[in-house]
Amino acid sequence: MADVVLSNVNKVFGTFTAVDGLNLDIRQGEFVSLLGPSGCGKTTTLRMLAGLEFPSGGEIRIGDRMVNDLAPGQRDIAMVFQSYALYPHMSVGQNIAYPLKKRGVAKAERTAMVAKTAEMLQLTPLLNRKPRELSGGQQQRVALGRALVRDPKVFLLDEPLSNLDAKLRGYMRAELIELHQRLGRTMVYVTHDQLEAMTMSDRIAVMESGKLQQFAPPQVVYREPANRFVASFIGTPGMNIVDGELLQENGRWIFQSQGFSVDAPNLGPDAQSGAAAMGIRPEGLSIGTGPIEGVVQLVEQTGHENIVVARVGDGLRMTGRTNPDQPVRAGETIKLSIDANKAHFFAEGATGKRLNKAAATSDGPAKSQSALKEATS
Amino acid sequence: MARKILFNIFAWMVVLMVAFPLFWMLVTSVKPQFELFRRPPSMLPETVTFEHYWRLLSDTNFLGYFWNSVILSTATTFVVVTIATIGAYSLVRFRYRGRETLAFLVLFTYLLPSVVLILPLYLMLVELGLSNTITSLVIAYTTFALPYALWLLRSFMAGIPEDLESAALVDGATRLGAFKDVILPQLLPGIISTALFTFILSWNEYLYALVLVNSDESRPLTTGVMNMLISSFNIEWSLLMAASVMMSVPLIIVFAFLQSYLTRGFGAGGVKG
Ligand SMILES: Nc1ncnc2c1ncn2[C@@H]1O[C@H](COP(=O)(O)OP(=O)(O)O)[C@@H](O)[C@H]1O
Ligand SMILES: [Mg+2]
């Protein structure tokens, strides 16, 4: 069942279009990430869902209600702000109790609910402190507590982990996943960190310049990026993307770039001769033998693997992974080969469409995952 | 080290220069009449007397003027702070055409010397039938305290993160509720600074009071005391000094209580609170 639906939603600030024709269909209990670079319209989208910003066009539905004209307090949503937005003059307890108070929950019941939420988030010893007396991580948990305390239909989270240090972020990521599984509530999670989106989401909505680029489960976004932008945004180290051109030779497609050419075995019907781009993830690049010659510029050792950055031709940088036992040094000349079956091909331009054949199981994981959720809830 | 001592001496000299008239005011107000014009003057009074204070309170209309000043300053402060708070909220939170221009126009009115405005204002107040009333002074003081108050509160308001209000709205508050629960408490230092500024301004104002109010029932302290104690034949120095001391006392008390807010306010208005 669809829980949150955005149909053709626009948001225009003056002459600037922050969100452009956005269509999203979020299922009940689903964890959806809005992922994209800073300024792509993620927060604006979330604020429109919350009712803090009114769409310039389109329709927003939550549950079975059209909420375009509903005030934030009437939408049965809770939101965690990037800045936490804790009320500085109220204690932790009062902060968490505030949404209950505004909904007319009686004092005794309020106290009990606050206590329960505080217990769950390990905030009990801090209930009488003021927000400024807390660490960043504690403030973050108070902000979560204020959202959790009244069990809303939809949770909206705007980069809740971005102000935490790396270690705490990893820990809170796990906490949030666990929380989502326990509550079974719909969550819309805004982040610019593809790792967060990949590890936490049922589906990821990748956005750029106010437009939806792809909306699919993490595996699909990774394996079958809908266009060049998604391909370059997902994955660390990032996908190698090479400009060149596609041409047909004896009925076979070939991608040709400066200094090398590869077969393009699995192109779909949209493929055309002419300028195009090829993308290959570091794991699709083998180092050691092959037709391409490169000069190693940098070797990053992560422990279980080495990341090798090599210069191919003039100016093109290619990143690959090697086993740490395979000795590669900076300055060395190496041979590279591209696994044509793992290559992606894109039409011209920054958001050029993917030209590969559609994989048969493209929407598979999403369906099975949410079916599982609906069955258990 | 030597520089530090020199600097200290300099600072104390400035303090003494500023404080001496106040000290002299206090001393003169408790000197008996015969000691007043003695030469050389006595730094400290030989006998301390409170007769001038008694005379002021029992034989003159001092208390009447005092009461007028209290009403006048309180009313002005209330009006100015209320309008400025709402206005600042609008200037910071709502987006409408000409918002910035409006803010600058407001500042512009503050830049006009008050002497320029006094005649038109007087004529307007006469038209309205308000001449010689305390209300006329409240209106007049509002015209020149409001622009500054608006700017002061605007910078305080701009320092309150918008997310706080958004959070309150999401938590189920109405706009007015969010304003009351979240904005007002955050704005308190700003409101106190603004209130102090307005109160002191109205308490000490002389020129408008002189021009706009000519009846003894409505005179505030400044013009009342001058009118009563200074004539072309005689200046009642002892009474004048006693009156000055009593005029300063309310301000000193208010200051003492709120000074931490005031310094915080004037210092922190522009940056994030
Ligand atoms: N109230 C506003 N007025 C004008 N422009 C805005 C406003 N809010 C956001 N924008 C613009 O819209 C774009 C998207 O902003 P935002 O949704 O905050 O991006 P993100 O959260 O993805 O970083 C940005 O370029 C931003 O400058
Ligand atoms: Mg944002």
Side-chain angles (χ1 to χ4, degrees):
Chain A
M1 192 181 96
D3 201 28
V4 177
V5 181
L6 291 99
S7 317
N8 226 342
V9 170
N10 289 314
K11 179 67 194 185
V12 182
F13 294 113
T15 55
F16 177 78
T17 305
V19 175
D20 193 355
L22 185 61
N23 285 297
L24 284 179
D25 194 325
I26 299 169
R27 302 182 192 111
Q28 170 134 38
E30 199 173 17
F31 192 117
V32 166
S33 291
L34 303 181
L35 173 68
S38 173
C40 72
K42 308 179 295 286
T43 297
T44 306
T45 306
L46 207 65
R47 286 176 61 86
M48 285 194 286
L49 278 175
L52 295 167
E53 210 79 73
F54 290 102
S56 316
E59 199 181 276
I60 300 176
R61 306 186 72 88
I62 294 178
D64 40 18
R65 290 188 300 172
M66 215 281 264
V67 297
N68 278 37
D69 300 321
L70 282 189
Q74 300 169 324
R75 294 191 178 195
D76 201 11
I77 43 126
M79 183 159 170
V80 176
F81 291 80
Q82 184 170 8
S83 61
Y84 308 149
L86 301 178
Y87 311 126
H89 56 290
M90 298 185 197
S91 68
V92 169
Q94 289 168 323
N95 263 282
I96 298 178
Y98 187 73
L100 300 176
K101 199 170 151 189
K102 285 288 129 179
R103 282 176 172 72
V105 177
K107 184 124 197 268
E109 197 179 343
R110 218 153 70 202
T111 315
M113 288 166 86
V114 170
K116 205 178 112 202
T117 307
E119 183 69 49
M120 180 166 79
L121 294 167
Q122 294 143 35
L123 289 169
T124 311
L126 307 175
L127 280 177
N128 291 320
R129 298 243 197 117
K130 289 279 167 64
R132 67 168 172 280
E133 298 162 348
L134 304 180
S135 72
Q138 291 167 332
Q139 292 183 357
Q140 214 277 331
R141 293 215 300 280
V142 178
L144 265 179
R146 198 172 59 186
L148 290 174
V149 71
R150 67 190 164 88
D151 194 23
K153 195 169 175 52
V154 180
F155 285 95
L156 307 174
L157 303 103
D158 191 358
E159 313 216 13
L161 308 186
S162 65
N163 293 331
L164 303 180
D165 61 58
K167 198 169 161 205
L168 199 54
R169 207 179 313 163
Y171 171 76
M172 283 308 293
R173 217 160 58 207
E175 290 279 288
L176 278 177
I177 296 173
E178 203 256 331
L179 204 64
H180 173 245
Q181 281 166 355
R182 184 141 46 101
L183 299 173
R185 287 280 175 259
T186 310
M187 294 193 174
V188 183
Y189 184 96
V190 163
T191 179
H192 66 266
D193 181 344
Q194 54 96 21
L195 182 67
E196 276 177 24
M198 290 294 286
T199 51
M200 299 171 78
S201 321
D202 294 324
R203 281 193 294 169
I204 303 177
V206 186
M207 292 177 70
E208 154 72 352
S209 313
K211 291 195 189 75
L212 184 65
Q213 306 294 325
Q214 187 168 14
F215 185 32
Q219 287 316 313
V220 177
V221 171
Y222 188 81
R223 289 199 194 125
E224 296 158 34
N227 61 35
R228 179 173 175 165
F229 174 80
V230 177
S232 62
F233 199 75
I234 304 277
T236 26
M239 187 186 277
N240 300 295
I241 298 188
V242 187
D243 283 308
E245 62 185 320
L246 278 173
L247 29 104
Q248 240 169 340
E249 234 171 52
N250 311 326
R252 289 191 320 154
W253 283 104
I254 291 184
F255 176 82
Q256 189 147 42
S257 179
Q258 41 169 328
F260 68 91
S261 62
V262 243
D263 276 346
N266 52 4
L267 290 195
D270 290 342
Q272 282 181 351
S273 304
M278 181 206 66
I280 183 82
R281 294 213 181 270
E283 52 266 35
L285 201 67
S286 351
I287 294 175
T289 55
I292 307 167
E293 202 163 85
V295 180
V296 177
Q297 290 195 302
L298 183 73
V299 180
E300 277 179 34
Q301 304 184 327
T302 64
H304 68 283
E305 65 175 2
N306 286 352
I307 310 246
V308 179
V309 181
R311 206 181 67 214
V312 175
D314 34 55
L316 179 61
R317 284 159 62 101
M318 300 277 261
T319 307
R321 300 173 190 269
T322 61
N323 195 307
D325 304 332
Q326 188 181 346
V328 179
R329 281 206 192 79
E332 203 176 319
T333 302
I334 50 166
K335 300 275 190 197
L336 302 165
S337 71
I338 288 168
D339 181 348
N341 287 312
K342 289 186 179 163
H344 307 260
F345 297 92
F346 303 104
E348 213 183 345
T351 55
K353 252 181 66 184
R354 179 180 151 93
L355 301 173
N356 299 51
K357 263 193 213 103
T361 56
S362 116
D363 201 23
K367 280 211 182 86
S368 58
Q369 263 184 24
S370 79
L372 195 77
K373 278 216 166 68
E374 266 164 7
T376 52
S377 64
Chain B
M1 196 61 206
R3 259 178 65 178
K4 203 170 164 188
I5 292 173
L6 249 134
F7 180 80
N8 268 334
I9 292 175
F10 176 73
W12 275 109
M13 269 164 56
V14 173
V15 170
L16 279 180
M17 255 153 68
V18 173
F20 184 74
L22 293 175
F23 167 75
W24 201 242
M25 168 179 91
L26 200 65
V27 167
T28 310
S29 74
V30 293
K31 274 183 189 168
Q33 199 72 35
F34 59 82
E35 214 184 310
L36 211 55
F37 294 106
R38 184 187 289 171
R39 263 165 203 276
S42 52
M43 263 298 168
L44 292 170
E46 277 155 25
T47 41
V48 171
T49 169
F50 290 102
E51 61 173 306
H52 311 305
Y53 289 88
W54 281 121
R55 262 186 66 204
L56 206 58
L57 294 176
S58 54
D59 300 356
T60 70
N61 191 25
F62 181 85
L63 278 180
Y65 300 140
F66 192 91
W67 190 235
N68 283 348
S69 270
V70 168
I71 293 177
L72 170 61
S73 305
T74 312
T76 308
T77 304
F78 184 77
V79 170
V80 166
V81 167
T82 308
I83 299 179
T85 304
I86 297 167
Y89 181 76
S90 152
L91 282 177
V92 171
R93 281 292 184 273
F94 296 138
R95 272 159 237 290
Y96 42 86
R97 188 178 290 272
R99 186 173 63 137
E100 287 295 311
T101 321
L102 195 68
F104 272 98
L105 280 178
V106 166
L107 187 67
F108 188 67
T109 63
Y110 185 66
L111 298 180
L112 284 179
S114 47
V115 191
V116 175
L117 298 172
I118 198 162
L119 277 179
L121 206 59
Y122 175 68
L123 292 176
M124 256 173 61
L125 290 168
V126 170
E127 281 294 304
L128 290 170
L130 289 173
S131 56
N132 281 333
T133 59
I134 292 182
T135 315
S136 73
L137 286 183
V138 172
I139 293 173
Y141 293 175
T142 301
T143 63
F144 53 78
L146 189 56
Y148 183 74
L150 200 59
W151 267 72
L152 195 61
L153 276 177
R154 180 174 176 257
S155 68
F156 272 100
M157 190 78 79
I160 301 175
E162 197 171 350
D163 274 358
L164 282 186
E165 198 182 353
S166 300
L169 292 176
V170 169
D171 284 343
T174 58
R175 218 175 228 287
L176 204 64
F179 183 76
K180 189 169 75 57
D181 294 346
V182 175
I183 304 284
L184 273 188
Q186 293 304 301
L187 203 60
L188 199 62
I191 288 180
I192 289 177
S193 314
T194 312
L196 265 178
F197 160 80
T198 313
F199 193 89
I200 294 168
L201 195 94
S202 333
W203 189 265
N204 288 336
E205 207 286 332
Y206 183 76
L207 182 63
Y208 276 58
L210 188 68
V211 174
L212 297 183
V213 171
N214 239 327
S215 83
D216 225 33
E217 298 94 77
S218 307
R219 275 205 182 100
L221 271 176
T222 45
T223 52
V225 166
M226 290 298 259
N227 195 52
M228 165 173 86
L229 301 177
I230 301 179
S231 64
S232 24
F233 309 109
N234 184 26
I235 300 179
E236 296 260 16
W237 282 112
S238 313
L239 287 184
L240 193 59
M241 291 305 119
S244 303
V245 170
M246 284 200 283
M247 278 172 74
S248 315
V249 165
L251 291 192
I252 290 168
I253 290 173
V254 170
F255 243 91
F257 273 107
L258 299 177
Q259 65 147 325
S260 70
Y261 271 113
L262 192 69
T263 44
R264 195 174 347 152
F266 282 141
V271 292
K272 248 185 173 167

